[in-house]
Amino acid sequence: MKKFILNADDLAKDVSHNSAILTAYEHGLLKSASIMTNMESYDDALKRVVKNCPNMSIGVHLNLIEGKSILSNLDMLTDNEKNFNNSYVTLLLKSYKAKFLAQVEDEFRAQIERAKSDGIKITHLDSHVHTHSIPNIFKIVARLANEYNISQVRTQEEVPYFIQNRSYQAVNFIKVMLLNSFTFINRFTAKKYNLKTNDYLIGVSYTGDMDSSTILEGLKKIKGENIVEALIHPTLENKEFELTKDSELKNHIERMNYVISNYQ
């Protein structure tokens, strides 16, 4: 069976993200979101979105990039004020150090525990800026998923594609190639822990610039019976929010024989 999951990353990043995800859920195409448990708008997300979207699958959007850490004394992840201070590249370079990996595991555990303690039934794990794609960090996420009985973790294989008359940054192609290579490694880890993953992802090639056409063109490149996740970052002001209201997009996806689903 072909399944399509539209997932909104960055739930709890700010009030605008929360409002957009709540409204998008009411239109029926968006059935899944990933929450950032360390952000200041987390409580707002709990009260307005999680509480009022009972059929939405909620994952934890593990975060080492933005905002403050939940734990203290993480000198390889944060500054003295608990602000995360690494980029994807510096996280990758540090990912071979035991002390660093221990701090990552502690912080990720705290972020998962916060969601669980607030009654969220966690259906999947992914991460802000795809940091869990880094193989040594993915191993930590896989172990934690297994420990907390979370059966699904995002992987990032994307079939490269180009849309005529749309701007495409070369850096995105490099990101796709890097994430595809990491996914090849990470799938062995996922299998070791009996975790389920999506088969393909749409949202790296045109990250931050997603609309109905980028989703449909991405789906056209994928053959066979697969689970495909498309990720968006909707706010009330951007076109990634607008696509969630596009009933014709929903019809197109269903005509391609995809079941519109979520991580439940």
Side-chain angles (χ1 to χ4, degrees), residues 239-255:
K239 62 184 178 182
E240 301 200 4
F241 169 59
E242 293 302 318
L243 75 84
T244 67
K245 301 185 289 183
D246 186 349
S247 59
E248 192 56 33
L249 171 62
K250 183 175 182 289
N251 293 337
H252 275 301
I253 293 170
E254 290 174 338
R255 284 197 293 269

Side-chain angles (χ1 to χ4, degrees), residues 205-262:
S205 293
Y206 291 91
T207 184
D209 193 27
M210 295 286 286
D211 59 16
S212 298
S213 66
T214 56
I215 290 178
L216 290 175
E217 290 301 315
L219 285 174
K220 289 176 183 177
K221 298 295 183 181
I222 297 170
K223 309 300 180 184
E225 304 285 314
N226 294 291
I227 298 173
V228 181
E229 178 187 351
L231 69 90
I232 57 173
H233 306 84
T235 70
L236 292 176
E237 298 81 24
N238 69 14
K239 62 184 178 182
E240 301 200 4
F241 169 59
E242 293 302 318
L243 75 84
T244 67
K245 301 185 289 183
D246 186 349
S247 59
E248 192 56 33
L249 171 62
K250 183 175 182 289
N251 293 337
H252 275 301
I253 293 170
E254 290 174 338
R255 284 197 293 269
M256 296 170 76
N257 296 319
Y258 281 95
V259 174
I260 296 173
S261 186
N262 62 19

Side-chain angles (χ1 to χ4, degrees), residues 3 24 31 54 76 89 115 119 158 179 189 220 253:
K3 292 186 178 181
K31 300 177 182 291
M76 298 193 77
V89 173
E158 181 167 289
L179 292 173
T189 301
K220 289 176 183 177
I253 293 170

